Amino acid sequence: MRRIAEEYYNNLSNQFKSIRVTGKNFQVFDFFEGIEKVGNLIKVQTGVGHKIIFIGNGASAAISSHMSTDFWKNGGMKAIAFNDSSLLTCLGNDYGYEYIFEKSIDMFAEEGDVLIAVSSSGKSENILRGARSARKKGCKV
């Protein structure tokens, strides 16, 4: 059992070391520099009254919901996740699933808000549309 646990945590540690964060113009940052940049951005933007918006599909939706609650409850910041089942099924039915985050962001995002898009692939059309919509509204992504 010990060997299995050691292999698991060594593999997990190696995965964290391989994470890269990209910024504007596809600049690449290591994981810790990315965390620092995002943390500073959130601190500045929420410090002047802007909110954090989280989006994600599947397990990433659960992460988004959990994070928005933690940022609000424990961090005292305005935060929301657009993953209410009625909202998603309404927008998916009326506009198509690829528009569910774009439509929500169009309605509720304001210039200066911060969008955090949680995605394991980074290729989901609804996430990409949500990020484009947030940029058009003047949000930080």
Side-chain angles (χ1 to χ4, degrees):
M1 182 56 77
R2 178 186 173 112
R3 183 184 58 76
I4 293 170
E6 285 177 352
E7 286 178 13
Y8 174 81
Y9 285 102
N10 285 333
N11 184 38
L12 190 60
S13 175
N14 289 334
Q15 291 297 317
F16 273 111
K17 291 174 187 173
S18 71
I19 293 173
R20 295 296 176 260
V21 179
T22 56
K24 287 184 180 179
N25 303 318
F26 302 99
Q27 301 162 274
V28 178
F29 307 102
D30 71 33
F31 179 71
F32 298 107
E33 185 177 6
I35 293 292
E36 178 182 35
K37 287 183 177 298
V38 170
N40 288 335
L41 174 68
I42 289 170
K43 184 177 178 182
V44 167
Q45 295 306 108
T46 60
V48 293
H50 296 294
K51 66 186 165 294
I52 310 168
I53 299 168
F54 294 89
I55 59 173
N57 294 305
S60 297
I63 291 167
S64 295
S65 183
H66 183 101
M67 288 177 67
S68 70
T69 301
D70 279 351
F71 275 76
W72 165 72
K73 183 178 70 86
N74 298 327
M77 303 169 206
K78 290 189 232 177
I80 189 168
F82 292 133
N83 60 7
D84 175 76
S85 61
S86 297
L87 174 70
L88 296 178
T89 57
C90 170
L91 294 175
N93 182 64
D94 292 355
Y95 298 102
Y97 191 71
E98 64 272 22
Y99 297 98
I100 60 171
F101 298 125
E102 178 181 7
K103 293 294 184 184
S104 297
I105 289 166
D106 283 348
M107 175 57 79
F108 295 104
E110 298 169 330
E111 185 175 348
D113 288 346
V114 177
L115 174 69
I116 298 180
V118 183
S119 175
S120 57
S121 72
K123 298 177 183 176
S124 298
E125 185 61 29
N126 60 359
I127 297 289
L128 297 173
R129 285 180 176 275
R132 283 192 293 268
S133 177
R135 284 189 182 99
K136 285 180 191 172
K137 299 275 299 208
C139 299
K140 311 292 184 183
V141 179

